[in-house]
Amino acid sequence: MSKHHFKEYSPHHPDVITSMEFERILSATGPTGGELKRPSDGTKPKTIAMISCVGSRDERYHRYCSKVCCMYMLKHARILKEKYPDIKIFLFFIDVRTAGKDFEEFYVYTKELGAKIIRGGRVSAVDVKPDGKLRVRGFDVDLCSPVEVSVDLVVLATAIEPPDGVEELGSMFTATCGREGFLREVHTKLYPVETQARGVFIAGCVQGPKDIPESIAQARAAAAATAALVIPGKIRFEAVISEVDRDKCSSCGVCVPLCPYTAIRIVEYKGKEKAYIEPALCAGCGVCASACPSRAITFHGFTTEQIMAQIDALTEA
Amino acid sequence: MKRIGLFLGCNIPFNRPDVEYSLRFLLNALDVEIVEMEGAACCPAYGTMPSLGIFEWAVASAWNLSIAEEKGVDMITGCGSCYGVQNEANYYMKKHPDIKKKVDEVLAKVGRKYNGNVKVWNVTNFLYEQIGLDTLKQKAKYSLNGLKCGIQTGCHNLWPSRAFPANEDNVFAPKRMREICEALGGVAPHYSTITDCCGMGALRSNAPEKSLALFKKKLDTIKAELDPDVNVIGCSSCLMQFDAGQSLLIEQKKINYKIPALHIAQLVAIALGAEVEKATALATIPLNGVITKIKGGN
Amino acid sequence: MEEGGVNVIDLTQSDENFIKELMELGADELKECIQCGKCGATCPMALAGLEFFIKRIVHAATLGLRDILLEDSSVWGCQSCNRCVEVCPMDIKPYEVIQAVRRAAVRVESCPANTYEGLRNLYRFGHAVFPKGFEERRKKAGLPEKPPTALSFEEMRKKYQEILRNTILEEIAPFPLT
């Protein structure tokens, strides 16, 4: 997410940067060759403030927690403190979210290295001082007081966002996006990598903010699910699916846009255009069968005769 | 000819009438017809009707707004609270039709109505959007001659921005007052606490020492970062803190410097040729240096 | 906290009805607060060092701590600067919580005396701020003794007073509305 949304953080100033930009500055293959330099004048910052939840947990941008920022802020602080022990680092958190194996230990270790942790604590203002320093103002719930600190560099942990065009991508194969714009899984617990489109699986940040181990675990699950489909060399259909009696079909086309699985298309049959349902895609919902004005679509297991017989049986009783 | 309702409020006519004189002078000088808001009351101040209920707030503001609407004008005010309170009342009445309905019923009892068509302007936004910097420059009789201005917009002129008909591009780094001072020949740099609260208002009434301490912190920053010739203020309450409040700090020996203070209306009026005696009649910190500089001294 | 008292807040006094009352008095989105602290970092009440300030008041309100909020006078020191409303990421309008607490307080006569003074001036003169000696000050600025407001127009002032009598002021004012 761009820093320019956050006017209260003086985004026009070159020394207010995002964590992604800071990651590049720390990288040996980055623009500074891994040397710590601040963008405005190329000097090495002596004090740095890092601000969490910029655009996350925020109704104006994204309600969700971006999940990985707490950890990478600690990682950045750790790298800096190991390389430059004299540098002063202030980390402003709302809550420190380091759940999971080894993560809390990482947090404690970074504190031991001397990084200063401020909690409860979303920063309210970053102001530019005439000497070029940036004054950061936050709240420290542990001191029960507003706090301020002048620093040389401000790093904003901006929110993870769904990539551009993900909605269009999803619509190409009827995978839908949730309210926040990420592709949606079929079931959070039971089908975490499956989408509405059969045979299309998702993994990584396209489905929601997540870290590298989780992305890899999900990717391997998606790969396994794909392999399970592909390796047998044949696809098993659902038993209960719909089928078109093409001699009865009037080619009106009503069924085509109704199908939630894009299983129906118009194809040539005996020289005429007729509806055809792809058995591999049909999920057996029955929408087309109930909509067909010519009663040309049979929903196996629920044929007209079977349904009429059921009604007769019920009304007799 | 432009027409505007001059909404006076309380602090301007009773504590700082020199600002009222300045407002009247500058509107005349800029060929804006002043429509008197006959019978208008308090905005009402945040600690009064707004602290009793949203309806109470809305109906008291609607009284004033209905006077302007009857006369077919928008309103201008030099007081931040009057600007904030009445714009917010407009905002609430649009957002809550049930409250608006109750307001209509009560107004009808005294034979008045308000259709929601009045905009409330502050001096800065009115000059910036309705007059324009070029016109202002053309009509000025005196240049500010490089006068260094420390800007205080006042909180109520900035926030909550969604309730205001006009505002800064960045409400955390306001520029409009700076641009007005610069158009008139002054310099008005940004400083790091430009949007900080001056401490005037409910805090000053209920915890005066804490209020003055907050003000001192801001003033010290202005002194250290800018050391201006004058502080230029967008709100009459802030003006009272920057002028009389500063005099208190000097009296209590809490600061050892003096920075004169002018409301933006006073500064503009003086540049347009107002009588300095009247335009600065109630200032407690002497303005001699400032006036000399404007009137062509070196 | 009383002088010499023990510094512990008893959470069993948490009162859902008080939360409901505040929400009805304007703090309608109170419960969405996640206590991120953004409002507290630049709140003038917090910077000036009042016992209760925006973040604390909102939290006490979500806990339904009626007595604590109504007994402490900090809410009356709020500047109404609205910076909290401008920056609140959850859009709970923190300032409206302060106003709701004030509204609850005046209904049980738990507000500083100068609140009534402002209301009395507002009712009598049409101006909440009505300092002595203004005639002299106006003369210095070359203006007539009285401004052309409700103060100078008795008929209008009476109508304005009638409007005020149609609000809750009628019930809570400790001074005669005549």
Side-chain angles (χ1 to χ4, degrees), chain B residues 16 86 92 98 122 142 155 164 259:
Chain B
R16 291 303 301 255
Q86 294 180 121
Y92 283 127
D98 50 322
N122 59 21
Y142 301 100
C155 305
F164 298 157
I259 309 172

Side-chain angles (χ1 to χ4, degrees), chain B residues 1-6 27 31-36 68-76 121 126 130:
Chain B
M1 191 173 177
K2 265 193 204 314
R3 300 167 74 234
I4 192 97
L6 178 57
L27 290 171
D31 297 322
V32 181
E33 183 193 335
I34 296 172
V35 176
E36 297 295 348
E69 195 172 78
E70 188 183 38
K71 292 174 187 279
V73 288
D74 285 344
M75 300 197 295
I76 188 171
W121 292 90
F126 185 79
Q130 298 290 305

Side-chain angles (χ1 to χ4, degrees), chain B residues 14 20 42 92 161 200, chain C residues 79 86 96 126 137-138 166:
Chain B
F14 302 131
E20 179 180 336
C42 175
Y92 283 127
S161 56
M200 192 61 187
Chain C
Q79 295 281 64
E86 194 70 27
E96 276 303 317
R137 286 192 285 274
R138 292 183 60 80
N166 275 281

